[in-house]
Every structure is written in C-alpha cells, then in structure tokens.
Amino acid sequence: MSAVLITTWLISLALGLWVCLFIFRIILSWYPQVDRDRPALRWIIVPTEPFLIPTRKVIPPLGGLDITPVVWVGIVSLLRELLVGQQGLLTLWSRVH
C-alpha cells in the first residue's frame, strides 16, 4: 500500500471521527440536564469546544437552540468530500501516483 493511500485513509478516518463527535454534540444539545463533567462526555466536549466557541460568536443560538455543531458537521463533511471523496483531491492524486 502506498503512502498516498495510507494518508488518504487516515485523513478520511480522522474527518469521519470529527463528524461523529459533532453529531454527538448535536445529541448532547437535546439533553441540557446531562452532567457534562462525566468522563465519557469529556471525550466529546473537549475536542469540539475550541471550534464551537468562536462559531457561537458568529452564529448565536436560534430560539435557544445551539446550531453550531450542525454547521461544523457540514463544514467537516464538505472538507472530507473535497479531500477524500470519490472525486476528492487526494483520491484523484492517489490514482495518478
């Protein structure tokens, strides 16, 4: 397996995990009474919060609902498609090399 294929696979995996983390943040926003200091939830909150804080300054909650995780699901999904999707840059590059 070439280095390009391994890199493409790792980037795809990492971006897929980011999407999953933001989806879990969407689900957590439905349950505000949940204790966010629980160790299992910290694995979701700590890596995503640095992205959500500045986004909340640009996009305030709508009707009391935080939509910033939805925005980030879209951003990361688009980035994943552009890089490693069927016609993504890294996918096309791996076919050439």
Side-chain angles (χ1 to χ4, degrees), residues 19-38:
V19 169
C20 288
L21 287 174
F22 284 117
I23 288 173
F24 284 130
R25 283 302 298 258
I26 292 168
I27 294 169
L28 277 176
S29 70
W30 298 342
Y31 302 100
Q33 72 277 8
V34 173
D35 181 20
R36 294 174 182 246
D37 290 328
R38 296 168 70 185

Side-chain angles (χ1 to χ4, degrees), residues 35-52:
D35 181 20
R36 294 174 182 246
D37 290 328
R38 296 168 70 185
L41 297 180
R42 299 299 300 164
W43 284 94
I44 298 168
I45 294 170
V46 169
T48 57
E49 197 63 24
F51 296 94
L52 296 176

Side-chain angles (χ1 to χ4, degrees), residues 64-97:
L65 183 65
D66 183 17
I67 63 165
T68 56
V70 176
V71 171
W72 276 101
V73 166
I75 291 170
V76 176
S77 295
L78 176 65
L79 183 62
R80 185 176 186 205
E81 189 62 33
L82 289 173
L83 292 177
V84 295
Q86 209 169 19
Q87 297 295 318
L89 296 173
L90 293 176
T91 303
L92 294 175
W93 191 44
S94 70
R95 291 179 189 160
V96 172
H97 290 84

